[in-house]
Amino acid sequence: VQLVESGGGLVKPGRSLRLSCTTSGFTFGDYAMSWFRQAPGKGLEWVGFIRNKAYGGTTEYAASVKGRFTISRDDSKSVAYLQMNSLTTEDTAVYYCTREFDYWGQGTLVTVSS
Amino acid sequence: DIVMTQSPDSLAVSLGERATINCKSSQSVLYNSNKKNYLAWYQQKSGQPPKLLIYWASTRQSGVPDRFSGSESETDFTLTISSLQAEDVAVYYCQQYYSTPWTFGQGTKVEIK
């Protein structure tokens, strides 16, 4: 099982960024995919998840990102996405993609700063 | 939201000794239909992503050494490292996945005395 996040970087407040999570080693369509984040020096925070198609492919989000972030998936490519809009400095963190919550990627750093 | 509270915030244990970390949930995370507590424990070493150690409060993830064990009593959960090894230095987190938002404890830092 491998998960590799990409798309992080430095972005100005108010701008958007899309993270990708490219996976291999398991049947992607059978699993929900989650995103977590960790601000520098802080603890872990759940961002949200997307269920697999068998459970409707529906999404759930943390209150802190609801309405600004969108999780999607492309089962044909085994990739999950995190679209982040209206970014603020509070969104600065390492973002982790996970298979449900058992396997984690290495993370990608998102820095929101002017 | 379910609040997860860990104790202590940090502890220092001698090599080969037992380390015990506690986690309390503000409400039950027991799903009555399967009688399972929706509680996980993670280990995060410096500069690395978290690693799942325990799920369903007491089920060890594949490949996790058997010196790690989880126990449960209503809303109180414990992670025990029976014989601390140098490679166990890390921050440990509990997390409930019973209801959204999934929430974590604040973390417990384990060091060698």
Side-chain angles (χ1 to χ4, degrees), chain A residues 34 36 38 42-46 49 60-63 96 100-107, chain B residues 40 42 44 47-52 54-55 61 93 95 97 100-106:
Chain A
S34 304
F36 295 82
Q38 187 169 35
K42 302 297 185 182
L44 296 165
E45 181 185 14
W46 171 74
F49 64 67
E60 303 285 345
Y61 299 97
Y96 296 103
E100 297 190 345
F101 57 90
D102 57 355
Y103 286 93
W104 293 56
Q106 288 296 310
Chain B
Y42 299 88
Q44 187 176 31
Q48 295 186 18
K51 173 187 174 183
L52 178 66
I54 303 279
Y55 58 97
Q61 172 75 332
Y93 295 93
Q95 179 226 335
Y97 50 100
T100 58
W102 291 352
T103 47
F104 289 86
Q106 77 275 20

Side-chain angles (χ1 to χ4, degrees), chain B residues 71-88:
Chain B
S71 62
E72 57 206 292
S73 176
E74 297 188 356
T75 59
D76 292 300
F77 303 91
T78 301
L79 175 70
T80 301
I81 310 172
S82 60
S83 175
L84 191 75
Q85 305 299 302
E87 62 264 33
D88 300 334

